[in-house]
Amino acid sequence: MIDWGVHYLDIVMYCCGDPAVRTVTGETFCKLGKNMEEYAYTDMWAGPPDYNGIYDVDDSVTGLIRTSGPVITLNGAWAQNIGVAEQYIDFMGDKAGIRLQYGKDFTVYTAEHGALVEYKPVFQMRDHFQNEIDAFIDCIKTGKKLPSHIDTVVITAQMMQAIYDSADQHREIVLD
C-alpha cells in the first residue's frame, strides 16, 4: 500500500477535488511471499529474493473510503496469483465513466442515441517526471502551492493509516 497505493489515492483525490474523508474500512494481506522458497513468480522487480530476509509487507489491500463526495474503493496487489498486471483507475459517474491507465491514456465510456460508446482520446503526453520538476520550479518562482502540497499529502497519509488501523481492528475507522 505504501509504495504504490499512495500514488493512486493522490490521483483519485486530486481528480475529485480533494473531498473531506469521512470513514475508512480496509483489509491488508501479507500471505504470498511468507514462504519465499515456494513462491512462484515470473519476475521480481526488486531483484532475486533473499531467502534469509524478512517479509513483513502487505502484498495486497482492499478498502472503502467514504468522502464528502464520492465513495472510493480500492483493490491492489504487488503480488498476486493472477497473471495479468493491470494498473488503472475507474471513475464511474451517472452520465459516463473513465478508465485511466496509470501513467498512460484513458478511455471514456458513455451512451449516445441509445447505444453504449467509448472514446479513446489520443494526445501527446509530457513526461511525468518532467511535469513534476516544472511544477516545482514554477512553485518556487511564483509561490503557488504544488498539487502535492503538504495539505493534501497529510490527507492521503491519514487515509492509508486508517486502512491499516481498520485492518488491524477489523472495523470501520471514522476520520470526520
Side-chain angles (χ1 to χ4, degrees), residues 36-51:
M36 283 303 296
E37 292 183 15
E38 292 182 14
Y39 179 56
Y41 62 92
T42 56
D43 184 34
M44 190 165 293
W45 68 268
D50 177 358
Y51 297 122

Side-chain angles (χ1 to χ4, degrees), residues 80-93:
Q80 59 186 3
N81 286 325
I82 296 174
V84 179
E86 296 180 305
Q87 296 179 333
Y88 63 87
I89 300 170
D90 284 339
F91 295 93
M92 295 180 281

Side-chain angles (χ1 to χ4, degrees), residues 3-104:
D3 63 346
W4 61 265
V6 62
H7 304 296
Y8 287 84
L9 288 173
D10 279 344
I11 290 169
V12 170
M13 292 295 285
Y14 175 78
C15 289
C16 295
D18 293 315
V21 178
R22 305 287 188 226
T23 63
V24 176
T25 304
E27 286 295 332
T28 60
F29 304 93
C30 179
K31 305 274 186 194
L32 295 179
K34 282 292 189 183
N35 185 346
M36 283 303 296
E37 292 183 15
E38 292 182 14
Y39 179 56
Y41 62 92
T42 56
D43 184 34
M44 190 165 293
W45 68 268
D50 177 358
Y51 297 122
N52 296 315
I54 297 171
Y55 183 87
D56 62 353
V57 299
D58 43 293
D59 46 42
S60 62
V61 63
T62 188
L64 178 99
I65 302 165
R66 289 185 178 89
T67 74
S68 59
V71 174
I72 301 166
T73 60
L74 63 112
N75 291 291
W78 69 267
Q80 59 186 3
N81 286 325
I82 296 174
V84 179
E86 296 180 305
Q87 296 179 333
Y88 63 87
I89 300 170
D90 284 339
F91 295 93
M92 295 180 281
D94 58 350
K95 303 282 188 243
I98 295 175
R99 174 160 287 183
L100 172 65
Q101 296 293 337
Y102 186 76
K104 298 179 183 167

Side-chain angles (χ1 to χ4, degrees), residues 115-132:
L116 297 175
V117 295
E118 64 182 65
Y119 296 101
K120 195 167 190 95
V122 178
F123 54 92
Q124 182 66 40
M125 283 184 50
R126 290 186 48 205
D127 179 80
H128 293 68
F129 299 110
Q130 189 62 51
N131 286 344
E132 289 183 37

Side-chain angles (χ1 to χ4, degrees), residues 103-119:
K104 298 179 183 167
D105 56 7
F106 64 93
T107 304
V108 178
Y109 300 91
T110 190
E112 290 181 2
H113 311 292
L116 297 175
V117 295
E118 64 182 65
Y119 296 101

